[in-house]
Amino acid sequence: MHNNGEKLIGSEIFFECLRRENVEYIFGYPGGALLKVYETLHDVEDIKHILVRHEQGATHMAEGYARATGRPGVVLVTSGPGATNTVTGITNAYMDSTPLVVFTGQVPSSLIGNDAFQEADIVGITRPITKHNFLVKDVKELATTISKAFYLATNGRPGPVLVDMPKDVLNAECVFEWPESVEIRGFKPTIKCHANQVQKAAKMIAKAKRPLFYIGGGVISAEASEELRKLAIDQQIPVTMTLQGLGAFPGDHPLSMGMLGMHGTYWANQAVSNCDLLIAVGARFDDRVTGKVDTFATQAYKIHNDIDPTNVDKNIKVDLPVVGDSKDFLASLIEAMPKTKEDRSSWLSEIEAWRKQCPLDYAVEQDSLKTEFVIDEVSKQTRGHAVVVTDVGQHQMWTSQYYKFTEPRSIITSGGLGTMGFGLPSAIGAAFGVTDRPVVLFSGDGGLMMNIQELVTAVYNKLPVKIFLINNSYLGMVRQWQELFHQEKYSFTDLAASNPDFVKVAEAFGCKAMSASNPESARNAITEALAYNDGPVLVDFRVVRKDMVFPMVPAGGSISDMLLARLNPKTMV
């Protein structure tokens, strides 16, 4: 470690700043604009560099690491195409509030704006998809800029920050000075909730007959799960969660109603439509949650806690906004609640009746394999303890329905952007961050192909990722919408004729692989895969090809009006 006052070149300052931020891993790929950084990296032993095979993979790995650990993910890529390849991952992190710091090399300062070789205006390109971004113009600004980048990424609503570093800045020399504190004009996130607003919320909760917690990923980011659990159980308030909020409250607890929204549980959506008090914590009223906004929770007084004031009244008008950290809000509510409690047994009985009216279930047939069975079996064998990563599509929604998440930071998925190809690299990043829990990936065959090159990264680093491939040889979710709403015109969604043999592909990468096509072989393959820890393992589950995810709210529909089964059962093959 270098001390303040030492003369260092820019690339040395770069690594010294990462040490001060306690960075453990960098997910990166070298290139011309970063040659000095990689020269310096050769002698760095206390920070591990993970060589990816595509820069998009680097951003998703950093996302997986960040979501699994709560620490910011760090990306290092070169200029031009290296930088532009990160755009999808940065956008994904921005929409899902994931803390990333992305470092991009840049052509020398004198060539910026000249259409130089491998030049791209990555600051301009990423301005709408980052919390903030920087172009470092002087080596003397490098340490301060990096400090600000980490501060911005992790404080307030988390998100991605980009730092663009010209080649001449990385080669220049100056006296190293690490800033003792960070002050950013105009950035003062509210952490402590206003006491009067908390008191009002407590009074509303105390007198509510049919209250409901609506929990988003902000509760997990704020490490507020214990406060939520204590308050919900003490006040006997049922809890429904968004896709990103799953695990914030134990999925196996009687008060848990699972996910709400488009593919949420029937009873959760009915509870939203019939509650008299909706307490939204760390959630943003996404369109996949609300459905038709005019019909969303019309009977409810709405309380909304969020650390980002721009989320308040953005999609749904609320009655009581409480801006601040979710942990502070829930802890303050616990203290503010009166000792007398409302009897909510009739409300809980009503919800239980909805649960029995339309339960989540599936038929097990011995000669075919359903995705629901695979996910349910993995949930049982891992006892809800795994870190579960998904790609995007039908399997993602089935995972939200059938895996019982019992702990926070247990689901890592692309929610806001819906990025196919997210799953495999994100699972790899999670496996670097978490070593005391199994890391399980559920991916469709379409999504796996989008970043399958990162299988090399998993194999080379001997990461025990369990890759459970839900292979229906379709772009399943698109096919489902084609059947239901587009006259069964299955345009370019059937992959059966073009898909490779995934077992052979995995083995060619040096990955252990097997396949299963019925419940018995699936159960055995899951057991074998979970026991294998010498590297990654892929199981190709040959599932029912034309199965569909239900219940479902059609686009633009009310969440109280759900499709509970397919319209034409004859298409089930």
Side-chain angles (χ1 to χ4, degrees):
M1 179 175 282
H2 297 282
N3 298 316
N4 279 1
E6 285 189 55
K7 271 198 167 185
L8 302 175
I9 62 171
S11 60
E12 293 172 327
I13 291 171
F14 172 75
F15 287 106
E16 189 55 38
C17 291
L18 298 192
R19 289 188 187 98
R20 304 295 177 108
E21 295 290 350
N22 298 312
V23 171
E24 185 180 15
Y25 290 103
I26 301 169
F27 301 95
Y29 201 90
L34 289 176
L35 283 172
K36 198 65 179 178
V37 172
Y38 276 85
E39 177 188 327
T40 304
L41 175 60
H42 186 272
D43 300 318
V44 172
E45 297 180 352
D46 54 338
I47 299 173
K48 301 178 184 71
H49 178 278
I50 307 305
L51 178 65
V52 303
R53 294 307 189 270
H54 191 285
E55 292 88 353
Q56 182 183 349
T59 53
H60 292 326
M61 283 183 208
E63 286 184 273
Y65 174 85
R67 295 272 295 280
T69 65
R71 301 167 65 183
V74 177
V75 176
L76 178 64
V77 298
T78 193
S79 64
T84 58
N85 279 343
T86 67
V87 167
T88 298
I90 293 172
T91 311
N92 196 84
Y94 185 69
M95 294 193 72
D96 285 343
S97 303
T98 303
L100 294 191
V101 182
V102 179
F103 294 99
T104 55
Q106 184 55 277
V107 300
S109 301
S110 60
L111 295 180
I112 292 176
N114 287 357
D115 293 333
F117 176 68
Q118 289 196 331
E119 181 192 359
D121 178 13
I122 197 63
V123 168
I125 290 168
T126 60
R127 189 168 285 120
I129 56 170
T130 53
K131 284 186 73 175
H132 195 68
N133 56 23
F134 301 90
L135 172 63
V136 184
K137 298 178 180 179
D138 190 318
V139 69
K140 295 174 185 176
E141 301 172 357
L142 183 58
T144 301
T145 301
I146 292 174
S147 177
K148 287 179 178 180
F150 277 91
Y151 182 82
L152 284 166
T154 56
N155 282 272
R157 180 181 177 181
V161 177
L162 183 137
V163 180
D164 200 23
M165 306 182 296
K167 193 171 185 178
D168 55 306
V169 169
L170 295 169
N171 283 275
E173 187 180 56
C174 75
V175 174
F176 173 67
E177 292 291 342
W178 178 250
E180 295 299 322
S181 60
V182 178
E183 290 290 331
I184 301 174
R185 187 175 62 185
F187 183 71
K188 295 284 186 289
T190 300
I191 304 301
K192 189 161 183 59
C193 300
H194 196 285
N196 287 347
Q197 298 296 87
V198 173
Q199 288 291 338
K200 289 178 185 176
K203 288 178 182 176
M204 293 303 301
I205 293 170
K207 68 181 184 180
K209 303 287 187 185
R210 302 189 307 278
L212 177 65
F213 271 120
Y214 155 40
I215 301 300
V219 170
I220 295 174
S221 295
E223 307 288 352
S225 297
E226 187 53 40
E227 288 80 3
L228 170 65
R229 186 177 182 278
K230 183 175 179 180
L231 183 59
I233 293 173
D234 184 61
Q235 297 294 323
Q236 285 295 285
I237 301 174
V239 180
T240 185
M241 292 156 279
T242 66
L243 180 63
Q244 302 292 16
L246 292 170
F249 188 81
D252 55 359
H253 193 281
L255 288 172
S256 172
M257 297 192 298
M259 190 175 76
L260 77 165
M262 179 172 281
H263 288 289
T265 64
Y266 174 77
W267 55 94
N269 284 352
Q270 289 300 315
V272 171
S273 299
N274 289 276
C275 66
D276 63 1
L277 177 67
L278 186 68
I279 313 148
V281 188
R284 60 187 178 89
F285 293 94
D286 175 73
D287 60 287
R288 290 295 172 106
V289 163
T290 64
K292 188 178 180 182
V293 294
D294 295 343
T295 63
F296 181 78
T298 54
Q299 300 180 40
Y301 183 94
K302 300 176 186 70
I303 300 170
H304 187 192
N305 161 246
D306 201 291
I307 199 166
D308 183 356
T310 66
N311 275 338
V312 177
D313 285 341
K314 183 169 69 175
N315 297 326
I316 296 288
K317 295 293 181 184
V318 299
D319 301 289
L320 181 62
V322 188
V323 175
D325 181 74
S326 294
K327 190 178 185 75
D328 180 79
F329 174 63
L330 293 169
S332 300
L333 268 182
I334 291 170
E335 294 298 320
M337 291 304 301
K339 291 190 169 130
T340 56
K341 298 172 188 174
E342 186 71 36
D343 179 13
R344 292 175 176 131
S345 55
S346 62
W347 172 230
L348 297 177
S349 296
E350 193 174 357
I351 291 171
E352 185 59 27
W354 287 322
R355 191 192 304 259
K356 290 178 179 177
Q357 182 182 343
C358 186
L360 289 175
D361 58 11
Y362 57 91
V364 177
E365 298 178 5
Q366 295 309 310
D367 58 349
S368 63
L369 184 61
K370 293 179 74 69
T371 302
E372 299 98 307
F373 174 86
V374 173
I375 295 168
D376 192 20
E377 183 64 25
V378 173
S379 181
K380 290 172 181 173
Q381 292 199 29
T382 60
R383 297 180 176 86
H385 181 63
V387 175
V388 176
V389 184
T390 81
D391 208 88
V392 169
Q394 288 179 314
H395 69 275
Q396 181 186 29
M397 297 297 100
W398 273 313
T399 299
S400 73
Q401 294 176 345
Y402 288 96
Y403 194 94
K404 298 299 181 187
F405 295 95
T406 59
E407 304 172 48
R409 300 200 180 279
S410 292
I411 184 168
I412 301 172
T413 191
S414 173
L417 194 61
T419 305
M420 289 178 67
F422 170 87
L424 178 58
S426 187
I428 291 169
F432 278 112
V434 175
T435 58
D436 60 346
R437 299 166 65 189
V439 175
V440 169
L441 166 66
F442 292 114
S443 178
D445 44 298
L448 186 67
M449 287 292 286
M450 289 193 172
N451 271 311
I452 199 168
Q453 77 284 343
E454 299 307 336
L455 201 51
V456 164
T457 310
V459 170
Y460 177 77
N461 290 282
K462 298 180 180 175
L463 297 173
V465 178
K466 324 303 178 185
I467 304 166
F468 292 148
L469 176 61
I470 307 301
N471 184 1
N472 62 0
S473 296
Y474 268 113
L475 298 177
M477 186 60 83
V478 182
R479 199 214 72 86
Q480 175 167 334
W481 281 65
Q482 287 173 331
E483 177 177 330
L484 292 175
F485 309 115
H486 295 277
Q487 304 174 58
E488 300 182 27
K489 294 184 177 179
Y490 304 115
S491 184
F492 298 100
T493 47
D494 190 340
L495 306 177
S498 57
N499 265 352
D501 182 326
F502 286 101
V503 170
K504 288 182 179 178
V505 169
E507 290 174 341
F509 277 110
C511 176
K512 180 181 175 69
M514 62 194 90
S515 64
S517 57
N518 60 58
E520 182 181 0
S521 63
R523 185 180 290 112
N524 293 336
I526 291 166
T527 302
E528 184 178 348
L530 290 173
Y532 182 76
N533 292 307
D534 293 335
V537 54
L538 182 143
V539 184
D540 182 5
F541 292 104
R542 305 295 183 88
V543 297
V544 173
R545 293 199 66 208
K546 298 180 182 179
D547 209 352
M548 295 206 286
V549 186
F550 291 106
M552 173 185 183
V553 177
S558 169
I559 65 168
S560 61
D561 299 322
M562 304 187 77
L563 291 178
L564 304 180
R566 69 199 308 133
L567 304 180
N568 181 9
K570 293 181 180 179
T571 60
M572 176 74 171
V573 178

